[in-house]
Amino acid sequence: MALSQVLGVRTPGDFWRVALTRRTYRNLLYLLTAFPLGLTYFVLLITGLSVAFSLIVIWVGIPLLVLTGLMWRKLGEFERELAIMWLGVQIPPMTHPAGEKASLWQRLQQIARDPMTWKSLLFVFLKFPVGLFSFIIVLLALAIPLSLAATPLLYLVALVAGNSVDPLTVLILTAAAIIGVPCFFLGLHILNGIAWLQGQLARLLLGMSESERQVAEARAAARVAQAQAARADQSRRELIVNVSHELRTPIASIRGHIESLQMAQHQTDGSPANQQEYLEIVSRETERLSELVDDLLALARAEAGELRLTLEPTDADGVVEEVWATLAPLAKRERQVTLVREIAPDLPPVWADRARLVQVLLNLARNAITYTPAGGIVSIRLAQPNAAHLALSVADTGIGIPEEELPRVFERFYRTDASRARTTGGFGLGLAIVRDLVQAMGGTVGVASRVGQGSTFTVTLNVVQQGAR
Ligand code: ADP
């Protein structure tokens, strides 16, 4: 970079204009504050380090040392901001945004391994001598030309005092004043040059270089991948344990009843009525098993990102009508529960995969019917709480869900204590599937409940905005 560019002097006019630019005064401010700041850092760090090292034998020194190190780095970050603000330099970031949350110990390790830590420490340490140097230069560069320019005052003082001044002295004083003015402007240019150099130092030591940025990026990506792999591994292990646990009961039941059937064939006491009952149990259990396998498949697809939905403008009221027509007679006949629907008029269409929305509503309504005692009411409501959303809710007058269990009902295989105590009911996968499907449709699902009074599950879907069709 040419010197003229560094000093900002491209035309002769720029030489004089330096006193009028804001940049000059910001640079001056930076150079003047560098010394007191550098001195403060120096005292802080030396005190921190010496106290930490003197206490290192009684362990207190170690956290003190860590604290001093962290303070050191924070000072580096502050200096970076200062250089950007006052010197106007572009400095790349000091850290790469870590994608994953790390523990305190991991973060400390990362900080210690980061070359930026050591570079910024060097900068903070150098701030004291560099600041002292800048301070002296500022004083010299401004004081000498200003005093030169002010020399005619001496002449005036002498005149006022009644002394005569010889012409040679007058000549020298006038020449000094004439030289002093451009020297003052030159001094400002020199100070701008020194500020530029300090800006370059800040850029070098307080921002990541391209290669460091790439390494930090690769490290952050590796950390994210590692954490994802660990989570996937954990969830696979949990899944195997849960699936094995869920499979045991129906398989044991099927085996037991088949054995009973086999024994009945050998002995004569197996009446056809008994055999029919055993066969019904076997058939029911195999049905549950195949439901479990279907649910597992749906979850596995969602987890593998293979849940392919066709989102299109869908009339949610049609979905409510369909589910109501399917379940209302069954609910009345088998569980003496009344299923009602309330649909607000003139609702706009929503973005949804119709078949999947039916599946979501069926799941919620079936749960509501299952967990509501005879004589209860389950209502499916469709309303528009605001211009952008429709709310599809299923409210029941059933057993309810304890508050502490509410956040967990959408987890895979989670069943509340009340439902685990029952012989019937699913495997705790239905709501996990509902959540996956609703989220895949860009919506949300939530629940509110009171034990003994009932539960309300609400699905919020995005309205198709006019013109988007
Ligand atoms: P399941 O197939 O066991 O019903 P879900 O994932 O659909 O599994 O539901 C998880 C658990 O949430 C259920 O086991 C039950 O304890 C509770 N639950 C779901 N819906 C209701 C409801 N309407 N009323 C009370 N409890 C409910």
Side-chain angles (χ1 to χ4, degrees), residues 4 9 25 97 246 253 262 283 312 318 341 366 380 390 418 464:
S4 63
V9 183
Y25 296 99
E246 294 298 342
S253 164
Q262 284 168 336
S283 150
E312 49 195 6
R341 82 266 196 227
R366 272 202 198 114
I380 306 176
L390 283 201
V464 179

Side-chain angles (χ1 to χ4, degrees), residues 380-401:
I380 306 176
R381 294 194 192 104
L382 186 62
Q384 184 168 17
N386 56 55
H389 301 105
L390 283 201
L392 175 59
S393 61
V394 178
D396 62 55
T397 56
I399 58 171
I401 304 167

Side-chain angles (χ1 to χ4, degrees), residues 221-244:
R223 274 201 300 276
V224 172
Q226 229 172 19
Q228 269 172 352
R231 267 204 306 269
D233 205 41
Q234 172 72 11
S235 99
R236 226 184 337 267
R237 251 178 282 153
E238 277 172 14
L239 189 69
I240 292 171
V241 171
N242 285 329
V243 171
S244 327

Side-chain angles (χ1 to χ4, degrees), residues 367-368 371 396 401 409 414-416 419 426-431 455:
N367 273 351
Y371 298 107
D396 62 55
I401 304 167
V409 290
Y414 191 78
R415 278 187 280 166
T416 61
S419 122
F427 298 97
L429 290 175
L431 288 178
S455 315

